[in-house]
């Protein structure tokens, strides 16, 4: 009876192939085994052909896989073509399981999971059928390697002695194997849950296709593996998957389920008046003010369009933004809010982050077979196609910060560690927050000098905002009212929830909380962003192009004189284009209009006035950001160095400092600035003191 059933199932698969996969099998026959070894079957096709057969495949995949592959070998093909070791790989199951929701009931079933590859071993050969040669008589004994442990023969089939045996490599059968650790995607986690992971073993032609940081959909059979060792077996079992298919999901926000009702709400919202004000009101409503910064954060969430050129080069569309400000100005709170709104995001704080934790780490553990190095993805890789929010950027070790340079501009991370050479994708926007060098801004010092970050890192940010905390009676009164009202709304809400005999009516609570509620519900805003990024790819109108071009050219024109600073670099031009595209996306528009370019020019001008201005001349100077020193400061340093050079030859012990300062005052450099620059030159090692209060150049 069993044989009849087996034949029936094999026949059913043969008929299925004839009806649905005739062309694909023909293609496989031409490419097998060098270019293609598998036939990929869509589960939905199998369900349309025979629902019972499709359900059986999900519940008893190991047996049904054998029949499916047997049917493939029996399929009518030209005489000289044999698909001896071809695989049948089923994918596109109707729903995927959450990794944290996998239970023992799924054991032995074909399931699908989505996530991000946290670790991946190298591809290694694995023996599937070992041929052992007896060292005494030379007889070959073949043992299939099915279980996890390596199986050796007990005795020789020829001389019946117990060895010794040697593994004959030429006669044994091997297959490529790889092990992956797939972790839940960040966008699926809310409320600080620890992401869970599952290990996946894959074999043959699907190996080596994915690397750490890739978002994947894995279809496979759930297996159990007993914990403990040979001497002490544990009653606990680990879950793992035997992977059948691994596909990379490059589509952003694949988990976001946007219904027709949601689409209707999104389109209605996009046509409302005052849309941009509403968007600003939806970001951290409990924090008073900062409309410009909040609008910039909204633009960052929507981001510009990533451009792919015909020569396969790529221009990033993601926007990077940095907020530098006094303590207690709500930077961290805004960061946390944006991290919760973003459909895919990773939050990290500076002091607890290393370069390996941000980029990728080479880890030596027994994740693979034996102790070997594996690559583990860091925060910027996990945030791929989302937002990485990094707080306390200034508290990070400078060496660790330098690891971000490539991630910000090229949007990839090159790893060369422990013999592993790999390039991981980190196509994310970075939202950073930092404090000034001395904890607070000193209003008498140039802001550029108070930012304790490397110029190479700062110049990669599209927008930089400084948030100062200056006493102002009217502003302080408004801020106080806002904070007290926000807390009062929280008190009423908590009082009503926690106190059964509360004398506050629901209407009273609603009236107060409405005043501090976001103008757009966070869940709707999250779906709005996902919808816009999925469907809107705006192009620039001539008016918008001209507006941005004129702004850039006018600014650059100010730097044409020999003694004038370079006011802005081409990086700012690209930033303007990205911001204008993001502004158009907010309206779900397919074109970037002049109003978009005017809006972002205003934001960029405001950001540049915050930081890109030489405080002595009041002119825009790109060098303040790009190199950390303004042109006037650089000229002054050169002047003072020249003065020291001139004077040191007149004195045996070197140039006396008071004479240098006096000579500097004669050429228009006041005393305090001259002393400051001399101190800077000494710190850089460009001048030294052969004796007290005397200077020589190195």
């Amino acid at each position: 009876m069993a044989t009849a059933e087996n034949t029936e199932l094999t026949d059913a698969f043969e008929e299925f192939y004839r009806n649905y996969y005739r062309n694909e099998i023909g293609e496989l026959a031409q490419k097998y085994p060098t270019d293609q070894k598998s036939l990929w079957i869509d589960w939905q096709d199998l369900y349309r052909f025979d629902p019972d057969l499709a359900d059986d495949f999900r519940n008893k995949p190991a047996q049904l896989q054998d029949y499916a592959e047997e049917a493939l070998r029996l399929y009518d093909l030209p005489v000289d073509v044999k698909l001896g070791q071809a695989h049948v790989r089923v994918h596109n199951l109707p729903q995927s399981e959450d990794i944290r929701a996998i239970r023992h009931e799924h054991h032995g079933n074909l399931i699908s999971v989505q996530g991000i590859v946290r670790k991946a071993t190298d591809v290694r050969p694995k023996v599937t059928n070992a041929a052992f040669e007896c060292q005494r008589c030379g007889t070959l004994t073949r043992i299939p390697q099915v279980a996890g442990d390596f199986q050796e023969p007990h005795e020789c089939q020829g001389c019946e002695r117990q060895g010794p045996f040697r593994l004959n490599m030429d006669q044994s059968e091997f297959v490529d194997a790889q092990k992956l650790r797939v972790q839940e995607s960040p966008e699926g986690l809310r409320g600080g849950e620890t992401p869970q992971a599952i290990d996946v073993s894959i074999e043959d032609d699907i190996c080596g296709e994915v690397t750490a940081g890739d978002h994947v959909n894995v279809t496979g059979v759930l297996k159990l593996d007993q914990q403990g060792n040979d001497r002490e077996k544990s009653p606990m079992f680990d879950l793992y998957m035997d992977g059948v298919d691994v596909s990379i999901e490059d589509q952003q926000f694949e988990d976001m389920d946007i219904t027709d009702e949601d689409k209707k709400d999104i389109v209605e919202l996009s046509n409302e008046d005052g849309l941009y004000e509403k968007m600003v009101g939806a970001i951290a409503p409990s924090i008073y003010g900062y409309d410009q910064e909040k609008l910039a954060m909204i633009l960052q969430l929507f981001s510009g369009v990533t451009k792919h050129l015909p020569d396969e080069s790529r221009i990033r569309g993601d926007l990077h933004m940095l907020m530098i400000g006094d303590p207690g100005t709500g930077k961290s709170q805004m960061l946390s809010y944006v991290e919760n709104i973003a459909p895919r995001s990773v939050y990290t704080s500076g002091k607890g982050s290393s370069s390996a934790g941000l980029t990728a780490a080479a880890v030596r553990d027994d994740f693979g077979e034996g102790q070997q190095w594996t690559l583990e993805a860091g925060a910027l890789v996990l945030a791929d196609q989302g937002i990485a929010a990094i707080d306390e950027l200034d508290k990070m070790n400078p060496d660790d910060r330098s690891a971000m340079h490539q991630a910000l501009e090229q949007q990839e991370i090159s790893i060369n560690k422990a013999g592993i050479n790999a390039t991981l994708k980190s196509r994310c926007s970075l939202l950073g927050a930092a404090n000034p060098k001395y904890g607070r801004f000193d209003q008498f010092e140039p802001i550029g000098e108070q930012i304790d970050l490397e110029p190479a890192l700062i110049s990669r940010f599209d927008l930089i905002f400084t948030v100062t905390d200056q006493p102002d009676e009217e502003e302080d009164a408004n801020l106080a009212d806002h904070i007290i009202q926000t807390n009062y709304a929280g008190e009423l809400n908590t009082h009503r929830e926690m106190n059964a005999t509360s004398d506050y009516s629901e209407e009273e609570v609603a009236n107060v909380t409405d005043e501090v509620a976001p103008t757009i519900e966070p869940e709707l805003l999250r779906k709005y962003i996902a919808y816009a990024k999925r469907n809107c790819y705006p192009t620039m109108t001539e008016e918008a192009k001209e507006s941005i071009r004129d702004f850039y050219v006018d600014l650059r024109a100010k730097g044409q004189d020999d003694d004038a600073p370079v006011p802005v670099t081409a990086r700012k031009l690209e930033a303007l284009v990205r911001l204008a595209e993001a502004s158009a996306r907010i309206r779900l528009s397919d074109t970037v209009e002049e109003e978009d370019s005017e809006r972002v020019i205003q934001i960029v001008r405001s950001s540049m006035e915050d930081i890109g201005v030489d405080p002595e001349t009041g002119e825009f100077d790109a060098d303040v950001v790009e190199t950390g020193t303004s042109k006037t400061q650089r000229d002054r340093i050169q002047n003072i160095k020249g003065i020291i050079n001139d004077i040191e030859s007149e004195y045996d012990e070197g140039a006396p400092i008071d004479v240098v300062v006096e000579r500097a005052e004669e050429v228009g450099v006041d005393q305090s600035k001259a002393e400051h620059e001399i101190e800077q030159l000494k710190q850089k090692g460009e001048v030294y003191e052969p004796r007290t209060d005397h200077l020589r150049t190195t």
Side-chain angles (χ1 to χ4, degrees):
M1 178 65 195
T3 317
E5 189 188 342
N6 296 357
T7 315
E8 201 177 298
L9 284 167
T10 311
D11 291 346
F13 275 111
E14 271 199 83
E15 189 185 338
F16 168 64
Y17 295 151
R18 274 194 293 276
N19 291 353
Y20 285 84
Y21 285 90
R22 186 184 295 272
N23 295 342
E24 286 82 350
I25 292 175
E27 197 177 320
L28 173 64
Q30 287 175 349
K31 294 181 176 180
Y32 184 83
T34 48
D35 296 330
Q36 191 180 334
K37 288 186 180 176
S38 300
L39 174 68
W40 271 269
I41 289 178
D42 190 322
W43 187 87
Q44 309 288 351
D45 288 343
L46 191 58
Y47 189 81
R48 278 193 288 274
F49 171 73
D50 184 342
D52 293 338
L53 187 63
D55 287 336
D56 283 349
F57 211 119
R58 286 181 69 183
N59 299 327
K60 297 181 283 186
Q63 296 147 282
L64 277 263
Q65 181 94 14
D66 290 341
Y67 299 138
E69 288 178 359
E70 181 63 28
L72 189 59
R73 282 188 278 278
L74 296 173
Y75 191 81
D76 299 329
L77 289 167
V79 180
D80 56 335
V81 177
K82 291 279 181 284
L83 299 176
Q85 299 292 316
H87 309 284
V88 172
R89 300 191 182 279
V90 174
H91 67 111
N92 195 21
L93 296 184
Q95 85 249 10
S96 61
E97 302 291 340
D98 287 339
I99 292 175
R100 63 179 58 240
I102 294 175
R103 297 290 179 263
H104 73 90
E105 290 92 5
H106 295 107
H107 174 229
N109 292 359
L110 188 72
I111 61 170
S112 164
V113 297
Q114 283 181 334
I116 188 166
V117 178
R118 189 67 203 255
K119 285 188 185 183
T121 64
D122 293 339
V123 179
R124 292 274 187 267
K126 171 183 167 186
V127 66
T128 53
N129 196 352
F132 294 93
E133 190 178 317
C134 177
Q135 298 283 65
R136 295 178 189 272
C137 66
T139 305
L140 280 178
T141 305
R142 294 180 189 278
I143 300 204
Q145 303 294 319
V146 187
D149 298 328
F150 187 58
Q151 307 290 324
E152 295 189 69
H154 295 297
E155 61 177 35
C156 173
Q157 292 174 342
C159 60
E160 296 186 352
R161 292 184 182 176
Q162 291 182 334
F165 298 100
R166 182 177 69 84
L167 184 66
N168 186 321
M169 298 288 185
D170 297 336
Q171 297 296 320
S172 300
E173 292 171 18
F174 289 87
V175 70
D176 290 328
Q178 189 181 18
K179 196 171 170 187
L180 312 173
R181 179 162 290 164
V182 178
Q183 179 183 297
E184 291 173 303
S185 292
E187 65 265 32
L189 301 174
R190 287 278 166 254
E193 294 169 320
T194 306
Q196 296 191 9
I198 189 165
D199 290 349
V200 182
S201 300
I202 54 176
E203 289 183 2
D204 213 4
D205 53 332
I206 57 172
C207 290
E209 297 294 315
V210 298
T211 185
D214 285 340
H215 287 264
V216 292
N217 190 321
V218 180
T219 307
V221 183
L222 190 73
K223 299 283 184 76
L224 301 179
D225 184 26
Q226 192 166 17
Q227 294 179 0
N229 51 36
D230 291 339
R231 282 173 298 173
E232 277 186 43
K233 296 280 188 192
S234 165
M236 302 299 287
F237 284 73
D238 287 325
L239 296 166
Y240 75 97
M241 280 172 74
D242 263 346
V244 174
D245 174 67
V246 179
S247 57
I248 297 177
E249 296 200 319
D250 225 16
Q251 177 66 43
Q252 289 176 307
F253 321 127
E254 58 280 344
D255 284 354
M256 293 292 288
D257 187 20
I258 300 174
T259 61
D260 290 338
E261 187 65 33
D262 291 332
K263 282 182 193 167
K264 188 163 153 276
D265 292 344
I266 287 166
V267 173
E268 268 178 25
L269 180 58
S270 72
N271 292 320
E272 284 185 22
D273 293 335
L275 173 64
Y276 291 89
E277 289 76 15
K278 274 202 161 150
M279 287 284 175
V280 168
I283 294 284
S286 62
I287 294 173
Y288 175 74
Y290 303 125
D291 288 358
Q292 196 84 297
E293 287 83 352
K294 288 180 181 179
L295 178 56
M297 285 177 188
I298 279 288
L299 292 171
Q300 186 183 34
L301 283 165
F302 281 86
S303 85
V305 179
T306 301
K307 279 75 94 180
H308 298 276
L309 302 179
D311 63 354
E312 295 189 4
S313 59
R314 178 179 177 279
I315 302 172
R316 73 174 161 97
D318 297 303
L319 290 154
H320 304 314
M321 180 176 151
L322 177 64
M323 281 193 299
I324 302 175
D326 294 332
T329 46
K331 300 185 301 298
S332 301
Q333 221 171 321
M334 284 196 270
L335 243 69
S336 300
Y337 204 90
V338 167
E339 186 240 348
N340 280 325
I341 290 284
R344 178 179 290 166
S345 60
V346 172
Y347 180 92
T348 175
S349 186
K351 200 64 184 167
S353 306
S354 66
S355 58
L358 281 176
T359 54
V363 184
R364 189 166 199 172
D365 58 14
D366 53 3
F367 170 61
E369 294 298 320
Q371 290 276 330
Q372 58 171 289
W373 292 95
T374 53
L375 209 54
E376 191 162 347
L380 292 175
V381 179
L382 294 176
D384 185 40
Q385 299 202 329
I387 280 192
I390 303 183
D391 203 359
E392 309 285 2
L393 205 54
D394 55 309
K395 312 291 188 296
M396 279 176 74
N397 186 325
D399 296 344
D400 295 335
R401 278 201 298 261
S402 65
M404 295 192 289
H405 291 191
Q406 188 190 7
L408 289 177
E409 199 56 60
Q410 279 75 42
Q411 296 207 293
E412 56 186 29
I413 287 164
S414 300
I415 295 296
N416 304 88
K417 296 177 181 175
I420 298 171
N421 298 308
T423 302
L424 307 178
K425 297 185 186 79
S426 66
R427 297 160 298 180
C428 63
S429 300
L430 188 87
L431 176 58
N435 293 120
K437 195 185 241 178
Y438 308 112
R440 290 185 85 84
F441 278 118
D442 179 345
Q443 63 197 65
F444 303 110
E445 283 282 320
I447 279 180
E449 288 180 23
Q450 298 184 65
I451 295 170
D452 195 18
L453 297 172
E454 302 75 32
L457 178 65
I458 287 185
S459 68
R460 282 169 166 79
F461 285 99
D462 298 290
L463 288 173
I464 302 168
F465 289 103
T466 56
V467 186
T468 52
D469 183 15
Q470 301 289 345
D472 176 317
E473 194 172 339
E474 191 182 332
E475 279 296 293
D476 291 345
N478 291 339
L479 175 64
D481 289 343
H482 183 81
I483 290 175
I484 290 166
Q485 186 66 12
T486 304
N487 279 279
Y488 180 58
E491 286 168 357
L492 286 194
N493 197 33
T494 310
H495 189 278
R496 185 168 163 75
E497 278 182 13
M498 299 298 181
N499 193 343
T501 58
S502 172
D503 48 2
Y504 292 110
S505 69
E506 197 172 326
E507 196 177 331
E508 276 179 275
V509 175
N511 286 341
V512 176
T513 49
D514 275 354
E515 292 176 35
V516 292
T519 47
I520 302 169
E521 282 298 312
E523 194 54 40
L524 176 61
L525 182 57
R526 197 176 295 126
K527 287 179 176 174
Y528 191 113
I529 292 164
Y531 180 82
K533 291 184 86 166
R534 212 187 269 175
N535 298 296
C536 293
Y537 298 94
T539 54
M540 297 187 92
T541 59
E542 287 305 317
E543 294 80 17
K545 283 184 201 168
E546 204 169 311
S547 177
I548 288 173
R549 181 181 168 279
D550 290 349
F551 172 69
Y552 177 72
V553 173
D554 288 352
L555 266 184
R556 291 282 295 183
K558 293 177 184 171
Q560 284 179 352
D561 300 339
D562 289 343
D563 58 345
V566 175
V568 66
T569 63
R571 266 188 175 152
K572 199 56 82 186
L573 183 59
E574 289 199 339
L576 279 162
V577 172
R578 284 191 281 268
L579 286 160
E581 289 164 354
S583 174
R585 263 185 170 168
I586 293 175
R587 299 196 315 275
L588 303 184
S589 169
D590 282 335
T591 53
V592 180
E593 306 290 343
E594 191 174 0
E595 60 165 302
D596 296 309
S597 56
E598 293 299 335
R599 182 178 294 111
V600 302
I601 284 169
Q602 193 183 338
I603 292 175
V604 168
R605 194 187 288 277
S606 154
S607 163
M608 286 173 69
E609 281 167 0
D610 272 1
I611 187 174
V613 170
D614 182 343
E616 294 176 42
T617 61
E619 291 180 8
F620 285 128
D621 185 353
D623 291 354
V624 174
V625 175
E626 303 275 337
T627 65
T629 46
S630 65
K631 184 178 187 300
T632 49
Q633 195 180 358
R634 225 174 27 253
D635 292 346
R636 195 165 56 235
I637 289 169
Q638 291 306 109
N639 277 346
I640 285 171
K641 221 173 152 187
I643 290 167
I644 295 169
N645 240 332
D646 293 344
I647 299 174
E648 68 179 331
S649 56
E650 299 170 20
Y651 296 85
D652 294 339
E653 295 96 351
I657 288 183
D658 51 356
V659 177
V660 174
V661 171
E662 211 173 282
R663 196 77 60 88
E665 282 182 308
E666 285 170 20
V667 293
V669 180
D670 65 59
Q671 185 182 341
S672 62
K673 285 197 167 68
E675 286 169 352
H676 177 74
E677 301 310 345
I678 290 168
E679 204 52 48
Q680 294 284 88
L681 286 167
K682 284 200 302 198
Q683 282 176 11
K684 289 177 185 167
E686 292 185 32
V687 301
Y688 67 98
E689 287 186 286
R691 56 173 290 186
T692 311
D693 291 344
H694 288 70
L695 302 170
R696 277 194 192 282
T697 52
T698 51

